[in-house]
Amino acid sequence: MNAALLDPVRVRLHSDLEEMLDDEVKAADPADEFVPVAFEQEFADLAVPLADGASMTFRGKIDRIDTTSGSRRVRVIDYKTGKHFWKAEEQFKGGTELQLAIYNQAARVAYPDHEVAEAVYYYSTAAGDYKRKVCAATPEVEETLRSVLVTLDGLAAAGVFPPVADNCRFCDFQTLCGPFRENRALRKSADPRLASFKRLREIL
Ligand code: SF4
Protein backbone atom coordinates (compact mmCIF):
# COMPACT_ATOMS: atom_id res chain seq x y z
CA MET A 1 0.00 0.00 0.00
CA ASN A 2 1.06 3.57 -0.66
CA ALA A 3 3.38 4.86 2.10
CA ALA A 4 1.62 8.22 2.01
CA LEU A 5 -1.54 6.43 3.12
CA LEU A 6 0.14 4.20 5.68
CA ASP A 7 2.36 6.79 7.35
CA PRO A 8 -0.42 8.76 9.08
CA VAL A 9 -1.84 5.46 10.39
CA ARG A 10 1.59 4.46 11.74
CA VAL A 11 2.02 7.84 13.40
CA ARG A 12 -1.39 7.59 15.02
CA LEU A 13 -0.75 4.02 16.23
CA HIS A 14 2.59 5.01 17.76
CA SER A 15 1.07 8.04 19.40
CA ASP A 16 -1.85 6.00 20.80
CA LEU A 17 0.53 3.37 22.12
CA GLU A 18 2.81 5.87 23.83
CA GLU A 19 -0.11 7.71 25.40
CA MET A 20 -1.68 4.42 26.50
CA LEU A 21 1.52 3.36 28.22
CA ASP A 22 1.74 6.75 29.96
CA ASP A 23 -1.88 6.41 31.03
CA GLU A 24 -1.33 2.86 32.34
CA VAL A 25 1.58 4.10 34.44
CA LYS A 26 -0.43 7.03 35.79
CA ALA A 27 -3.46 4.85 36.53
CA ALA A 28 -1.47 2.09 38.24
CA ASP A 29 -2.34 2.06 41.92
CA PRO A 30 0.43 0.40 43.97
CA ALA A 31 -2.16 -0.35 46.65
CA ASP A 32 -4.33 -2.57 44.46
CA GLU A 33 -1.58 -5.18 43.76
CA PHE A 34 -3.12 -6.31 40.47
CA VAL A 35 -0.66 -7.85 38.03
CA PRO A 36 -1.48 -9.09 34.50
CA VAL A 37 -1.37 -12.90 34.37
CA ALA A 38 -3.11 -13.85 31.13
CA PHE A 39 -3.86 -12.38 27.70
CA GLU A 40 -6.29 -13.49 25.01
CA GLN A 41 -7.72 -16.13 27.30
CA GLU A 42 -10.55 -18.05 25.71
CA PHE A 43 -13.58 -19.35 27.53
CA ALA A 44 -16.27 -21.67 26.24
CA ASP A 45 -19.44 -23.30 27.52
CA LEU A 46 -19.86 -20.62 30.16
CA ALA A 47 -23.35 -21.38 31.46
CA VAL A 48 -25.20 -18.48 33.08
CA PRO A 49 -28.16 -19.86 35.03
CA LEU A 50 -31.57 -18.40 34.17
CA ALA A 51 -34.45 -20.07 36.01
CA ASP A 52 -35.91 -23.54 36.48
CA GLY A 53 -32.58 -25.17 35.72
CA ALA A 54 -32.23 -23.46 32.33
CA SER A 55 -29.08 -21.61 31.38
CA MET A 56 -27.61 -19.58 28.55
CA THR A 57 -24.15 -20.48 27.30
CA PHE A 58 -21.42 -18.11 26.18
CA ARG A 59 -17.97 -18.32 24.71
CA GLY A 60 -15.40 -15.61 24.08
CA LYS A 61 -11.89 -14.37 24.47
CA ILE A 62 -10.71 -12.08 27.27
CA ASP A 63 -8.02 -9.54 26.36
CA ARG A 64 -6.30 -9.43 29.75
CA ILE A 65 -6.70 -10.90 33.20
CA ASP A 66 -5.07 -9.43 36.32
CA THR A 67 -4.82 -11.11 39.71
CA THR A 68 -3.47 -10.26 43.12
CA SER A 69 -1.49 -12.91 44.93
CA GLY A 70 -2.06 -11.85 48.55
CA SER A 71 -5.79 -11.17 48.60
CA ARG A 72 -6.49 -13.53 45.69
CA ARG A 73 -8.61 -11.17 43.61
CA VAL A 74 -9.11 -11.22 39.86
CA ARG A 75 -10.22 -8.62 37.34
CA VAL A 76 -10.77 -8.56 33.60
CA ILE A 77 -9.63 -5.85 31.18
CA ASP A 78 -11.13 -5.50 27.72
CA TYR A 79 -9.36 -3.08 25.38
CA LYS A 80 -11.51 -0.84 23.20
CA THR A 81 -10.34 1.34 20.32
CA GLY A 82 -13.55 3.30 19.74
CA LYS A 83 -15.19 6.17 21.56
CA HIS A 84 -16.19 6.02 25.21
CA PHE A 85 -19.96 6.35 25.11
CA TRP A 86 -20.99 5.79 28.73
CA LYS A 87 -22.84 7.96 31.18
CA ALA A 88 -21.67 7.45 34.75
CA GLU A 89 -24.90 5.79 35.86
CA GLU A 90 -25.09 3.34 32.94
CA GLN A 91 -24.13 -0.32 33.09
CA PHE A 92 -26.45 -2.37 30.87
CA LYS A 93 -27.72 0.27 28.41
CA GLY A 94 -31.17 -1.20 28.04
CA GLY A 95 -29.88 -4.76 27.90
CA THR A 96 -27.55 -4.09 24.97
CA GLU A 97 -24.33 -4.13 26.99
CA LEU A 98 -23.81 -7.46 28.74
CA GLN A 99 -20.17 -8.18 27.95
CA LEU A 100 -18.58 -6.92 31.17
CA ALA A 101 -21.11 -8.65 33.40
CA ILE A 102 -20.51 -11.88 31.48
CA TYR A 103 -16.75 -11.45 31.80
CA ASN A 104 -17.17 -11.29 35.57
CA GLN A 105 -18.91 -14.67 35.37
CA ALA A 106 -16.14 -16.06 33.15
CA ALA A 107 -13.49 -14.88 35.63
CA ARG A 108 -15.38 -16.57 38.46
CA VAL A 109 -15.29 -19.89 36.63
CA ALA A 110 -11.66 -19.53 35.50
CA TYR A 111 -10.42 -18.46 38.96
CA PRO A 112 -12.68 -20.26 41.44
CA ASP A 113 -10.32 -19.62 44.36
CA HIS A 114 -10.25 -15.86 43.71
CA GLU A 115 -12.74 -13.13 44.50
CA VAL A 116 -13.87 -11.42 41.27
CA ALA A 117 -13.43 -7.66 41.64
CA GLU A 118 -14.54 -6.17 38.33
CA ALA A 119 -14.47 -6.23 34.56
CA VAL A 120 -13.27 -3.07 32.83
CA TYR A 121 -13.48 -1.59 29.36
CA TYR A 122 -10.27 0.32 28.76
CA TYR A 123 -10.60 2.79 25.90
CA SER A 124 -6.94 2.65 25.03
CA THR A 125 -6.69 5.22 22.23
CA ALA A 126 -7.04 8.99 21.84
CA ALA A 127 -10.48 8.34 20.28
CA GLY A 128 -11.67 6.96 23.61
CA ASP A 129 -9.64 9.48 25.62
CA TYR A 130 -8.05 6.62 27.64
CA LYS A 131 -11.21 6.36 29.75
CA ARG A 132 -12.40 3.31 31.62
CA LYS A 133 -15.81 1.80 32.25
CA VAL A 134 -15.93 -0.45 35.28
CA CYS A 135 -18.48 -3.17 36.00
CA ALA A 136 -18.10 -4.22 39.62
CA ALA A 137 -18.82 -7.90 40.29
CA THR A 138 -21.69 -7.29 42.70
CA PRO A 139 -24.71 -9.50 43.39
CA GLU A 140 -26.90 -6.70 41.95
CA VAL A 141 -25.05 -6.77 38.62
CA GLU A 142 -25.27 -10.56 38.55
CA GLU A 143 -29.01 -10.46 39.22
CA THR A 144 -29.61 -7.80 36.56
CA LEU A 145 -27.65 -9.85 34.02
CA ARG A 146 -29.76 -12.88 34.86
CA SER A 147 -33.01 -10.93 34.52
CA VAL A 148 -31.94 -9.44 31.16
CA LEU A 149 -31.10 -12.92 29.85
CA VAL A 150 -34.38 -14.34 31.15
CA THR A 151 -36.28 -11.60 29.30
CA LEU A 152 -34.35 -12.11 26.05
CA ASP A 153 -34.76 -15.87 26.30
CA GLY A 154 -38.50 -15.51 26.90
CA LEU A 155 -38.94 -13.17 23.94
CA ALA A 156 -36.99 -15.48 21.62
CA ALA A 157 -38.89 -18.54 22.83
CA ALA A 158 -42.17 -16.72 22.11
CA GLY A 159 -40.94 -15.74 18.64
CA VAL A 160 -41.01 -12.04 19.54
CA PHE A 161 -38.14 -10.10 17.96
CA PRO A 162 -39.04 -6.45 18.50
CA PRO A 163 -37.89 -3.93 15.93
CA VAL A 164 -35.69 -1.25 17.44
CA ALA A 165 -34.79 1.62 15.19
CA ASP A 166 -33.33 4.15 17.57
CA ASN A 167 -29.64 3.60 16.78
CA CYS A 168 -29.46 2.56 13.13
CA ARG A 169 -26.61 4.85 12.08
CA PHE A 170 -23.82 2.40 12.89
CA CYS A 171 -25.75 -0.80 12.17
CA ASP A 172 -24.54 -3.25 9.50
CA PHE A 173 -28.08 -4.30 8.62
CA GLN A 174 -29.57 -1.07 7.31
CA THR A 175 -29.96 -2.50 3.80
CA LEU A 176 -31.67 -5.57 5.18
CA CYS A 177 -34.07 -3.54 7.31
CA GLY A 178 -34.80 -1.19 4.43
CA PRO A 179 -36.45 2.21 4.54
CA PHE A 180 -39.19 3.34 6.96
CA ARG A 181 -37.86 1.09 9.73
CA GLU A 182 -38.50 3.85 12.28
CA ASN A 183 -42.16 3.97 11.24
CA ARG A 184 -42.45 0.19 11.45
CA ALA A 185 -40.88 0.16 14.92
CA LEU A 186 -43.24 2.91 16.05
CA ARG A 187 -46.27 1.05 14.68
CA LYS A 188 -45.39 -2.06 16.68
CA SER A 189 -44.43 -0.25 19.86
CA ALA A 190 -47.92 -0.55 21.40
CA ASP A 191 -48.02 -4.34 20.96
CA PRO A 192 -48.63 -5.84 24.41
CA ARG A 193 -46.15 -8.64 23.65
CA LEU A 194 -43.41 -6.03 23.91
CA ALA A 195 -44.09 -5.21 27.59
CA SER A 196 -41.09 -7.12 28.98
CA PHE A 197 -38.88 -5.76 26.20
CA LYS A 198 -39.85 -2.20 27.07
CA ARG A 199 -38.97 -2.79 30.71
CA LEU A 200 -35.64 -4.16 29.56
CA ARG A 201 -34.90 -1.01 27.61
CA GLU A 202 -35.32 1.05 30.78
CA ILE A 203 -32.46 -0.70 32.59
CA LEU A 204 -29.54 1.71 32.75
S1 SF4 B 1 -30.99 -1.00 10.84
FE1 SF4 B 1 -32.48 -2.51 11.51
S2 SF4 B 1 -31.35 -4.03 12.71
FE2 SF4 B 1 -30.09 -2.18 12.52
S3 SF4 B 1 -30.51 -1.01 14.39
FE3 SF4 B 1 -31.86 -0.24 12.77
S4 SF4 B 1 -33.76 -1.42 13.03
FE4 SF4 B 1 -32.16 -2.54 14.18
Side-chain angles (χ1 to χ4, degrees):
M1 190 181 277
N2 191 321
L5 293 175
L6 275 180
D7 282 350
V9 177
R10 274 202 198 97
V11 168
R12 202 191 65 235
L13 284 173
H14 275 137
S15 156
D16 279 344
L17 188 57
E18 278 174 11
E19 286 188 27
M20 183 194 82
L21 290 173
D22 277 351
D23 181 73
E24 284 273 51
V25 170
K26 275 189 216 130
D29 178 357
D32 75 10
E33 299 176 349
F34 278 109
V35 175
V37 291
F39 296 94
E40 297 285 317
Q41 180 158 320
E42 291 190 30
F43 63 89
D45 299 325
L46 172 72
V48 178
L50 304 182
D52 303 331
S55 64
M56 204 175 277
T57 307
F58 296 87
R59 65 185 160 88
K61 197 187 274 185
I62 292 174
D63 289 340
R64 176 179 137 192
I65 296 177
D66 298 352
T67 62
T68 67
S69 51
S71 53
R72 299 185 87 72
R73 301 171 79 217
V74 58
R75 79 176 174 200
V76 170
I77 311 281
D78 189 56
Y79 291 92
K80 295 287 184 203
T81 54
K83 287 188 177 162
H84 178 282
F85 60 108
W86 295 88
K87 291 182 191 144
E89 66 276 17
E90 288 179 329
Q91 190 69 81
F92 287 93
K93 283 186 180 283
T96 63
E97 281 288 340
L98 306 180
Q99 188 180 6
L100 291 179
I102 290 168
Y103 278 179
N104 279 332
Q105 302 273 328
R108 188 162 293 126
V109 171
Y111 291 81
D113 55 348
H114 283 59
E115 177 200 342
V116 183
E118 62 196 16
V120 182
Y121 282 149
Y122 177 30
Y123 291 83
S124 53
T125 66
D129 207 16
Y130 306 95
K131 290 182 176 170
R132 289 166 175 77
K133 175 62 190 173
V134 173
C135 176
T138 63
E140 292 75 25
V141 164
E142 200 170 316
E143 180 50 32
T144 304
L145 171 65
R146 196 189 65 79
S147 102
V148 169
L149 295 179
V150 166
T151 300
L152 293 175
D153 187 50
L155 287 164
V160 178
F161 296 94
V164 179
D166 56 4
N167 197 13
C168 299
R169 205 148 52 100
F170 303 108
C171 181
D172 291 334
F173 302 104
Q174 292 180 49
T175 310
L176 194 66
C177 271
F180 311 120
R181 49 190 173 262
E182 290 86 359
N183 292 359
R184 284 200 302 277
L186 192 64
R187 218 170 46 237
K188 305 237 178 187
S189 66
D191 190 316
R193 290 174 298 174
L194 301 192
S196 65
F197 181 70
K198 285 183 178 167
R199 285 195 297 276
L200 182 69
R201 300 282 286 171
E202 286 164 10
I203 298 173
L204 290 177

PDB file of all heavy atoms in Angstrom, residues 76-97:
ATOM      1  N   VAL A  76     -10.866  -8.380  35.053  1.00  0.00           N
ATOM      2  CA  VAL A  76     -10.772  -8.558  33.600  1.00  0.00           C
ATOM      3  C   VAL A  76     -10.634  -7.188  32.953  1.00  0.00           C
ATOM      4  O   VAL A  76     -11.318  -6.234  33.350  1.00  0.00           O
ATOM      5  CB  VAL A  76     -12.057  -9.248  33.072  1.00  0.00           C
ATOM      6  CG1 VAL A  76     -12.093  -9.230  31.562  1.00  0.00           C
ATOM      7  CG2 VAL A  76     -12.159 -10.661  33.598  1.00  0.00           C
ATOM      8  N   ILE A  77      -9.749  -7.090  31.956  1.00  0.00           N
ATOM      9  CA  ILE A  77      -9.625  -5.846  31.181  1.00  0.00           C
ATOM     10  C   ILE A  77      -9.934  -6.159  29.721  1.00  0.00           C
ATOM     11  O   ILE A  77      -9.386  -7.100  29.151  1.00  0.00           O
ATOM     12  CB  ILE A  77      -8.182  -5.277  31.231  1.00  0.00           C
ATOM     13  CG1 ILE A  77      -7.641  -5.205  32.661  1.00  0.00           C
ATOM     14  CG2 ILE A  77      -8.118  -3.919  30.521  1.00  0.00           C
ATOM     15  CD1 ILE A  77      -8.098  -4.055  33.489  1.00  0.00           C
ATOM     16  N   ASP A  78     -10.823  -5.353  29.138  1.00  0.00           N
ATOM     17  CA  ASP A  78     -11.130  -5.500  27.719  1.00  0.00           C
ATOM     18  C   ASP A  78     -10.746  -4.200  27.014  1.00  0.00           C
ATOM     19  O   ASP A  78     -11.264  -3.130  27.357  1.00  0.00           O
ATOM     20  CB  ASP A  78     -12.628  -5.778  27.535  1.00  0.00           C
ATOM     21  CG  ASP A  78     -12.958  -6.148  26.108  1.00  0.00           C
ATOM     22  OD1 ASP A  78     -12.378  -7.101  25.588  1.00  0.00           O
ATOM     23  OD2 ASP A  78     -13.806  -5.451  25.509  1.00  0.00           O
ATOM     24  N   TYR A  79      -9.836  -4.281  26.064  1.00  0.00           N
ATOM     25  CA  TYR A  79      -9.361  -3.078  25.378  1.00  0.00           C
ATOM     26  C   TYR A  79     -10.338  -2.674  24.278  1.00  0.00           C
ATOM     27  O   TYR A  79     -10.796  -3.519  23.505  1.00  0.00           O
ATOM     28  CB  TYR A  79      -7.989  -3.328  24.757  1.00  0.00           C
ATOM     29  CG  TYR A  79      -6.898  -3.482  25.778  1.00  0.00           C
ATOM     30  CD1 TYR A  79      -6.544  -4.728  26.274  1.00  0.00           C
ATOM     31  CD2 TYR A  79      -6.226  -2.372  26.273  1.00  0.00           C
ATOM     32  CE1 TYR A  79      -5.550  -4.879  27.232  1.00  0.00           C
ATOM     33  CE2 TYR A  79      -5.225  -2.507  27.229  1.00  0.00           C
ATOM     34  CZ  TYR A  79      -4.894  -3.758  27.696  1.00  0.00           C
ATOM     35  OH  TYR A  79      -3.912  -3.894  28.636  1.00  0.00           O
ATOM     36  N   LYS A  80     -10.623  -1.383  24.230  1.00  0.00           N
ATOM     37  CA  LYS A  80     -11.511  -0.844  23.195  1.00  0.00           C
ATOM     38  C   LYS A  80     -10.770   0.245  22.425  1.00  0.00           C
ATOM     39  O   LYS A  80     -10.002   1.016  23.033  1.00  0.00           O
ATOM     40  CB  LYS A  80     -12.767  -0.223  23.830  1.00  0.00           C
ATOM     41  CG  LYS A  80     -13.658  -1.229  24.536  1.00  0.00           C
ATOM     42  CD  LYS A  80     -14.390  -2.078  23.529  1.00  0.00           C
ATOM     43  CE  LYS A  80     -15.367  -3.028  24.199  1.00  0.00           C
ATOM     44  NZ  LYS A  80     -15.685  -4.184  23.359  1.00  0.00           N
ATOM     45  N   THR A  81     -11.020   0.319  21.118  1.00  0.00           N
ATOM     46  CA  THR A  81     -10.338   1.340  20.324  1.00  0.00           C
ATOM     47  C   THR A  81     -11.299   2.439  19.849  1.00  0.00           C
ATOM     48  O   THR A  81     -10.867   3.398  19.227  1.00  0.00           O
ATOM     49  CB  THR A  81      -9.675   0.711  19.080  1.00  0.00           C
ATOM     50  OG1 THR A  81     -10.665  -0.014  18.360  1.00  0.00           O
ATOM     51  CG2 THR A  81      -8.536  -0.197  19.466  1.00  0.00           C
ATOM     52  N   GLY A  82     -12.579   2.299  20.176  1.00  0.00           N
ATOM     53  CA  GLY A  82     -13.552   3.305  19.743  1.00  0.00           C
ATOM     54  C   GLY A  82     -13.759   4.379  20.795  1.00  0.00           C
ATOM     55  O   GLY A  82     -12.943   4.566  21.697  1.00  0.00           O
ATOM     56  N   LYS A  83     -14.889   5.072  20.649  1.00  0.00           N
ATOM     57  CA  LYS A  83     -15.190   6.167  21.565  1.00  0.00           C
ATOM     58  C   LYS A  83     -15.835   5.652  22.850  1.00  0.00           C
ATOM     59  O   LYS A  83     -16.609   4.692  22.815  1.00  0.00           O
ATOM     60  CB  LYS A  83     -16.152   7.147  20.892  1.00  0.00           C
ATOM     61  CG  LYS A  83     -15.478   7.961  19.829  1.00  0.00           C
ATOM     62  CD  LYS A  83     -16.387   9.053  19.320  1.00  0.00           C
ATOM     63  CE  LYS A  83     -15.636   9.877  18.298  1.00  0.00           C
ATOM     64  NZ  LYS A  83     -16.479  10.668  17.455  1.00  0.00           N
ATOM     65  N   HIS A  84     -15.531   6.303  23.940  1.00  0.00           N
ATOM     66  CA  HIS A  84     -16.190   6.020  25.214  1.00  0.00           C
ATOM     67  C   HIS A  84     -17.584   6.638  25.146  1.00  0.00           C
ATOM     68  O   HIS A  84     -17.720   7.843  24.891  1.00  0.00           O
ATOM     69  CB  HIS A  84     -15.347   6.659  26.328  1.00  0.00           C
ATOM     70  CG  HIS A  84     -15.908   6.514  27.705  1.00  0.00           C
ATOM     71  ND1 HIS A  84     -16.937   7.285  28.185  1.00  0.00           N
ATOM     72  CD2 HIS A  84     -15.571   5.673  28.712  1.00  0.00           C
ATOM     73  CE1 HIS A  84     -17.205   6.932  29.414  1.00  0.00           C
ATOM     74  NE2 HIS A  84     -16.393   5.955  29.760  1.00  0.00           N
ATOM     75  N   PHE A  85     -18.605   5.832  25.326  1.00  0.00           N
ATOM     76  CA  PHE A  85     -19.965   6.348  25.115  1.00  0.00           C
ATOM     77  C   PHE A  85     -20.850   6.075  26.331  1.00  0.00           C
ATOM     78  O   PHE A  85     -22.037   5.833  26.210  1.00  0.00           O
ATOM     79  CB  PHE A  85     -20.573   5.748  23.845  1.00  0.00           C
ATOM     80  CG  PHE A  85     -20.671   4.235  23.878  1.00  0.00           C
ATOM     81  CD1 PHE A  85     -21.905   3.623  24.007  1.00  0.00           C
ATOM     82  CD2 PHE A  85     -19.535   3.436  23.815  1.00  0.00           C
ATOM     83  CE1 PHE A  85     -22.002   2.240  24.061  1.00  0.00           C
ATOM     84  CE2 PHE A  85     -19.621   2.066  23.863  1.00  0.00           C
ATOM     85  CZ  PHE A  85     -20.855   1.460  24.000  1.00  0.00           C
ATOM     86  N   TRP A  86     -20.252   6.131  27.512  1.00  0.00           N
ATOM     87  CA  TRP A  86     -20.988   5.787  28.733  1.00  0.00           C
ATOM     88  C   TRP A  86     -21.318   7.017  29.561  1.00  0.00           C
ATOM     89  O   TRP A  86     -20.470   7.879  29.732  1.00  0.00           O
ATOM     90  CB  TRP A  86     -20.150   4.853  29.601  1.00  0.00           C
ATOM     91  CG  TRP A  86     -19.897   3.528  28.985  1.00  0.00           C
ATOM     92  CD1 TRP A  86     -18.866   3.199  28.153  1.00  0.00           C
ATOM     93  CD2 TRP A  86     -20.684   2.340  29.153  1.00  0.00           C
ATOM     94  NE1 TRP A  86     -18.965   1.881  27.790  1.00  0.00           N
ATOM     95  CE2 TRP A  86     -20.064   1.330  28.388  1.00  0.00           C
ATOM     96  CE3 TRP A  86     -21.832   2.039  29.874  1.00  0.00           C
ATOM     97  CZ2 TRP A  86     -20.573   0.034  28.321  1.00  0.00           C
ATOM     98  CZ3 TRP A  86     -22.339   0.765  29.809  1.00  0.00           C
ATOM     99  CH2 TRP A  86     -21.714  -0.217  29.041  1.00  0.00           C
ATOM    100  N   LYS A  87     -22.550   7.012  30.110  1.00  0.00           N
ATOM    101  CA  LYS A  87     -22.840   7.955  31.182  1.00  0.00           C
ATOM    102  C   LYS A  87     -22.484   7.244  32.488  1.00  0.00           C
ATOM    103  O   LYS A  87     -22.549   6.003  32.555  1.00  0.00           O
ATOM    104  CB  LYS A  87     -24.332   8.308  31.189  1.00  0.00           C
ATOM    105  CG  LYS A  87     -24.733   9.122  29.990  1.00  0.00           C
ATOM    106  CD  LYS A  87     -26.212   9.482  30.076  1.00  0.00           C
ATOM    107  CE  LYS A  87     -26.664  10.061  28.762  1.00  0.00           C
ATOM    108  NZ  LYS A  87     -28.020   9.680  28.412  1.00  0.00           N
ATOM    109  N   ALA A  88     -22.174   8.038  33.501  1.00  0.00           N
ATOM    110  CA  ALA A  88     -21.669   7.448  34.753  1.00  0.00           C
ATOM    111  C   ALA A  88     -22.629   6.406  35.314  1.00  0.00           C
ATOM    112  O   ALA A  88     -22.218   5.381  35.846  1.00  0.00           O
ATOM    113  CB  ALA A  88     -21.422   8.551  35.771  1.00  0.00           C
ATOM    114  N   GLU A  89     -23.928   6.663  35.210  1.00  0.00           N
ATOM    115  CA  GLU A  89     -24.897   5.792  35.862  1.00  0.00           C
ATOM    116  C   GLU A  89     -25.230   4.540  35.034  1.00  0.00           C
ATOM    117  O   GLU A  89     -25.945   3.653  35.490  1.00  0.00           O
ATOM    118  CB  GLU A  89     -26.186   6.570  36.200  1.00  0.00           C
ATOM    119  CG  GLU A  89     -26.998   7.051  34.994  1.00  0.00           C
ATOM    120  CD  GLU A  89     -26.496   8.373  34.410  1.00  0.00           C
ATOM    121  OE1 GLU A  89     -25.363   8.780  34.694  1.00  0.00           O
ATOM    122  OE2 GLU A  89     -27.275   8.981  33.642  1.00  0.00           O
ATOM    123  N   GLU A  90     -24.725   4.460  33.827  1.00  0.00           N
ATOM    124  CA  GLU A  90     -25.091   3.342  32.945  1.00  0.00           C
ATOM    125  C   GLU A  90     -24.247   2.093  33.207  1.00  0.00           C
ATOM    126  O   GLU A  90     -23.074   2.177  33.544  1.00  0.00           O
ATOM    127  CB  GLU A  90     -24.904   3.746  31.481  1.00  0.00           C
ATOM    128  CG  GLU A  90     -25.935   4.723  30.984  1.00  0.00           C
ATOM    129  CD  GLU A  90     -25.692   5.118  29.536  1.00  0.00           C
ATOM    130  OE1 GLU A  90     -24.527   5.144  29.098  1.00  0.00           O
ATOM    131  OE2 GLU A  90     -26.682   5.413  28.850  1.00  0.00           O
ATOM    132  N   GLN A  91     -24.867   0.935  33.015  1.00  0.00           N
ATOM    133  CA  GLN A  91     -24.134  -0.324  33.092  1.00  0.00           C
ATOM    134  C   GLN A  91     -24.603  -1.318  32.028  1.00  0.00           C
ATOM    135  O   GLN A  91     -23.808  -2.054  31.459  1.00  0.00           O
ATOM    136  CB  GLN A  91     -24.306  -0.947  34.491  1.00  0.00           C
ATOM    137  CG  GLN A  91     -23.405  -2.117  34.748  1.00  0.00           C
ATOM    138  CD  GLN A  91     -21.937  -1.718  34.855  1.00  0.00           C
ATOM    139  OE1 GLN A  91     -21.469  -1.257  35.869  1.00  0.00           O
ATOM    140  NE2 GLN A  91     -21.203  -1.855  33.763  1.00  0.00           N
ATOM    141  N   PHE A  92     -25.901  -1.371  31.806  1.00  0.00           N
ATOM    142  CA  PHE A  92     -26.450  -2.367  30.866  1.00  0.00           C
ATOM    143  C   PHE A  92     -27.026  -1.743  29.590  1.00  0.00           C
ATOM    144  O   PHE A  92     -27.353  -2.470  28.661  1.00  0.00           O
ATOM    145  CB  PHE A  92     -27.532  -3.200  31.565  1.00  0.00           C
ATOM    146  CG  PHE A  92     -26.963  -4.182  32.561  1.00  0.00           C
ATOM    147  CD1 PHE A  92     -26.833  -3.833  33.890  1.00  0.00           C
ATOM    148  CD2 PHE A  92     -26.523  -5.433  32.159  1.00  0.00           C
ATOM    149  CE1 PHE A  92     -26.274  -4.717  34.808  1.00  0.00           C
ATOM    150  CE2 PHE A  92     -25.971  -6.329  33.065  1.00  0.00           C
ATOM    151  CZ  PHE A  92     -25.843  -5.973  34.399  1.00  0.00           C
ATOM    152  N   LYS A  93     -27.211  -0.441  29.593  1.00  0.00           N
ATOM    153  CA  LYS A  93     -27.716   0.267  28.406  1.00  0.00           C
ATOM    154  C   LYS A  93     -28.918  -0.448  27.777  1.00  0.00           C
ATOM    155  O   LYS A  93     -28.871  -0.898  26.628  1.00  0.00           O
ATOM    156  CB  LYS A  93     -26.607   0.421  27.365  1.00  0.00           C
ATOM    157  CG  LYS A  93     -25.595   1.518  27.670  1.00  0.00           C
ATOM    158  CD  LYS A  93     -24.640   1.678  26.515  1.00  0.00           C
ATOM    159  CE  LYS A  93     -23.608   2.753  26.771  1.00  0.00           C
ATOM    160  NZ  LYS A  93     -24.104   4.119  26.612  1.00  0.00           N
ATOM    161  N   GLY A  94     -29.942  -0.601  28.577  1.00  0.00           N
ATOM    162  CA  GLY A  94     -31.172  -1.196  28.044  1.00  0.00           C
ATOM    163  C   GLY A  94     -31.028  -2.644  27.628  1.00  0.00           C
ATOM    164  O   GLY A  94     -31.762  -3.128  26.774  1.00  0.00           O
ATOM    165  N   GLY A  95     -30.069  -3.341  28.224  1.00  0.00           N
ATOM    166  CA  GLY A  95     -29.881  -4.762  27.898  1.00  0.00           C
ATOM    167  C   GLY A  95     -29.007  -4.992  26.684  1.00  0.00           C
ATOM    168  O   GLY A  95     -28.861  -6.126  26.226  1.00  0.00           O
ATOM    169  N   THR A  96     -28.404  -3.917  26.155  1.00  0.00           N
ATOM    170  CA  THR A  96     -27.553  -4.085  24.973  1.00  0.00           C
ATOM    171  C   THR A  96     -26.082  -4.275  25.338  1.00  0.00           C
ATOM    172  O   THR A  96     -25.275  -4.621  24.480  1.00  0.00           O
ATOM    173  CB  THR A  96     -27.652  -2.865  24.032  1.00  0.00           C
ATOM    174  OG1 THR A  96     -27.167  -1.712  24.734  1.00  0.00           O
ATOM    175  CG2 THR A  96     -29.081  -2.623  23.573  1.00  0.00           C
ATOM    176  N   GLU A  97     -25.736  -4.033  26.580  1.00  0.00           N
ATOM    177  CA  GLU A  97     -24.330  -4.133  26.994  1.00  0.00           C
ATOM    178  C   GLU A  97     -24.206  -5.166  28.119  1.00  0.00           C
ATOM    179  O   GLU A  97     -24.424  -4.850  29.300  1.00  0.00           O
ATOM    180  CB  GLU A  97     -23.838  -2.764  27.477  1.00  0.00           C
ATOM    181  CG  GLU A  97     -23.486  -1.824  26.351  1.00  0.00           C
ATOM    182  CD  GLU A  97     -22.192  -2.213  25.622  1.00  0.00           C
ATOM    183  OE1 GLU A  97     -21.381  -2.956  26.206  1.00  0.00           O
ATOM    184  OE2 GLU A  97     -22.021  -1.777  24.473  1.00  0.00           O
TER     185      GLU A  97
END
